[in-house]
Amino acid sequence: MSAKPGAGIRFAVIGVDHAHIHGQMRLMLDAGAECAGYAAFDPATDGVSAEAAAFREAWSGITVHADARALLADTTIALVVCSIRPACRAGLAAAVLGAGKDLMLDKPLAVSTTDLEAIVRLQRQTGRIVSVDYSERLECAAMVKADALVRDGAVGRVIQTIGMGPHLIRKAARPDWFFRRADYGGIIVDIGSHQIDHMLHFTGVRDAEILSATVANYANPDQPELEDFGEVQLLAGDRHGFFRVDWMTPAGLGTWGDGRFFILGDAGTIEVRKVVDPAGRPGGDHLILVTGSDTRYVDCSDVRPVYGEQLCRDVRDRTETAMSQDHVFQVSRLALQAQAQARRLGHLQQAFVPAGRTDQPVRATGV
Amino acid sequence: MSAKPGAGIRFAVIGVDHAHIHGQMRLMLDAGAECAGYAAFDPATDGVSAEAAAFREAWSGITVHADARALLADTTIALVVCSIRPACRAGLAAAVLGAGKDLMLDKPLAVSTTDLEAIVRLQRQTGRIVSVDYSERLECAAMVKADALVRDGAVGRVIQTIGMGPHLIRKAARPDWFFRRADYGGIIVDIGSHQIDHMLHFTGVRDAEILSATVANYANPDQPELEDFGEVQLLAGDRHGFFRVDWMTPAGLGTWGDGRFFILGDAGTIEVRKVVDPAGRPGGDHLILVTGSDTRYVDCSDVRPVYGEQLCRDVRDRTETAMSQDHVFQVSRLALQAQAQARRLGHLQQAFVPAGRTDQPVRATGV
């Protein structure tokens, strides 16, 4: 039996502000990589987050370092894995890439074009990998299966994708930054990034035109910077994409969101019920394939995510099999662009103006 | 037991070019109305259609008249029911309304603004009812149930509707006019009318802004006037709507189309699988309701369409309970507007120019 793709690859976790980190850990460990330790990026912020505490408790075998610099200086560590709050990513990327390490983050890559372009420059200067774990595609077995089916030509040429990304707000459990627009980046940047990743990936295009974009706050007037609804329509030549994202999941669903993904091909269709099949089959990862010959429920129970293994190979071989570097940046650019031009409705102020902070001058964010 | 709402109401069928007529017949007969006879509007066109022949065979007890004028002159007939080819509707409406009768058609009401405005003028002059049986809402038990649930506040305030209206093309069985743009009106006017009806109805708005509209021919290069794909994004203040319509249903689905309708409310969601629950429960009319308290599959087997009964009452009482006259015209206006401004992609010519006909001068249609 050959070694796992991650054998010999040591990674560190630096910066945990979101539970996404658990999925990122599983991807890397399942691929055979070794976790060399954890540190906060800033002990005063991501060091004291509830998510960081939960991470340390859940992965209690992992060495906790008081100072991230020890991990960044360790030349045996090839990759840093991170779920730090979105507004801190440019700073973290500078430290990680500057230390000659690759970086894997949860979404979103960046909350402003200033941040994004800083990361792009650093990546080009250093040649290190900056990868984003779009978990709603890369950790979802049914989406991995959909990808394989589309590549095999099961639905012919992909004409359109429609995504619905509802999320449960769990308002009381969210950190302060969750509600601050400058910190989370807006709903299209935040949870819409998944959907833009899906559209570009499944239609096989590099970029798209934004036909329309809207964000709103309809159900949370007490949090006027929170966007709880967003929708975007994209067109890339003859490939179409529409998505809605929201923080409206009704509590009676019993899970965090009825994420759906519909692929229209010229020879068939795929529907993925990512998380739940409401009032239907138990569990997640439901895939329905309709072709010229039949309608099939496709069992995805034996499908394993491949992103962690691909990323490990890329780290070792300096390839781009998990996703192209260009895709990572294009998803972020497109999300920021849609966010910036989005019509703002409901309880949101008509234009987003970042609030003044005590630690820096008030300025436009560039978003 | 009280009499049915249609008791004493006699209607005629004039002009059959589409199998929709069977559903229209059932609505009226189930409501207790009486069919006084059938005639072609133009014996040379709708008189010789395959659908007219199938209608005469299916409803063999109904008297066939050689000349529609006999039915139009019969003052005991209150209403004319019709599924004539779309381009003939203005002419038929003129005859029916001019004869002092109400009119119920399948969709679309009109294929050009010229036709629509002629019908609007006639309706205002005569005060007769012009009603459109949006069968994908009005004949679908699960959509009727969704309507009742929304009115009862089951999902709170409706924020967005998403509709998918795929259709099976059955190319060999279609009449010539099905493929001629000037005759069927374009895919947004034709099958998109259902979706615009749904969006306006369920969000409770009178009109909407068209944020984007696209039509294309992706899979039928041999029929360059056929639009086999269309998508529209609508906004009405703080109410959102998106839909896709297409002629791409894969043959393996086993029925004409996996029509879906998603309602996002600020307190719950509804999904309707109108025709089929692919790889799921048998039959049609599936409704899934998620609220703050639970997730429920709602049985719609005891739900009956009410449109026929409401229309019969409206005919007798001169009310607008089945749908407002304004709604009928607004759906048609919005469909024509979206169709006219739609980006044209794929095998379609860049701008639609009606082909010259031998029986009339070449002219712009006004669409």
Side-chain angles (χ1 to χ4, degrees), chain A residues 109 130 132 134 137-138 193-202 204-207 320 322-334:
Chain A
L109 177 61
V130 177
V132 176
Y134 289 105
R137 171 167 66 91
L138 300 168
S193 289
H194 287 295
Q195 303 291 334
I196 293 173
D197 162 76
H198 298 358
M199 189 273 182
L200 296 186
H201 180 80
F202 279 96
V205 299
R206 182 183 173 265
D207 198 2
E320 293 194 341
M323 65 182 66
S324 75
Q325 192 57 67
D326 186 60
H327 176 77
V328 173
F329 294 149
Q330 284 295 111
V331 170
S332 182
R333 272 201 196 99
L334 205 47

Side-chain angles (χ1 to χ4, degrees), chain B residues 113 188-189 196 207-210 213 330-342 367:
Chain B
T113 50
I188 296 172
V189 162
I196 293 173
D207 198 3
E209 179 185 353
I210 297 155
Q330 284 296 111
V331 170
S332 181
R333 273 200 194 98
L334 205 47
L336 288 164
Q337 191 187 332
Q339 184 73 49
Q341 72 183 58
V367 180

Side-chain angles (χ1 to χ4, degrees), chain A residues 114-266:
Chain A
T114 308
D115 282 4
L116 171 61
E117 296 312 329
I119 296 171
V120 170
R121 269 195 310 276
L122 276 164
Q123 190 280 324
R124 289 195 179 142
Q125 283 164 14
T126 61
R128 307 318 300 179
I129 295 167
V130 177
S131 192
V132 176
D133 169 22
Y134 289 105
S135 53
E136 291 189 25
R137 171 167 66 91
L138 300 168
E139 294 185 26
C140 172
M143 290 292 277
V144 173
K145 184 71 185 180
D147 193 20
L149 288 167
V150 168
R151 282 169 196 270
D152 286 351
V155 299
R157 193 179 76 88
V158 173
I159 294 169
Q160 187 203 45
T161 64
I162 295 178
M164 300 181 205
H167 287 64
L168 188 65
I169 192 160
R170 298 188 299 113
K171 218 162 170 176
R174 297 288 180 178
D176 287 352
W177 63 262
F178 178 89
F179 301 100
R180 288 197 300 260
R181 170 64 175 75
D183 283 339
Y184 76 90
I187 194 169
I188 295 172
V189 162
D190 183 11
I191 52 181
S193 289
H194 287 295
Q195 303 291 334
I196 293 173
D197 162 76
H198 298 358
M199 189 273 182
L200 296 186
H201 180 80
F202 279 96
T203 63
V205 299
R206 182 183 173 265
D207 198 2
E209 178 185 354
I210 297 154
L211 296 186
S212 86
T214 307
V215 296
N217 176 323
Y218 286 134
N220 295 279
D222 59 316
Q223 291 289 356
E225 291 196 22
L226 178 69
E227 299 167 1
D228 57 21
F229 176 91
E231 60 178 12
V232 177
Q233 189 163 11
L234 299 166
L235 180 66
D238 54 4
R239 312 295 184 126
H240 304 247
F242 172 80
F243 67 82
R244 177 192 86 217
V245 285
D246 66 75
W247 290 103
M248 303 268 181
T249 292
L253 184 68
T255 185
W256 63 267
D258 182 7
R260 299 284 184 103
F261 192 63
F262 295 86
I263 301 170
L264 172 71
D266 64 4

Side-chain angles (χ1 to χ4, degrees), chain A residues 218 240 260 271 279 281, chain B residues 160 218 240 260 271 279 281:
Chain A
Y218 286 134
H240 304 247
R260 299 284 184 103
E271 175 183 359
R281 295 174 173 89
Chain B
Q160 186 202 46
Y218 286 133
H240 304 247
R260 300 282 185 103
E271 175 183 358
R281 295 174 173 89

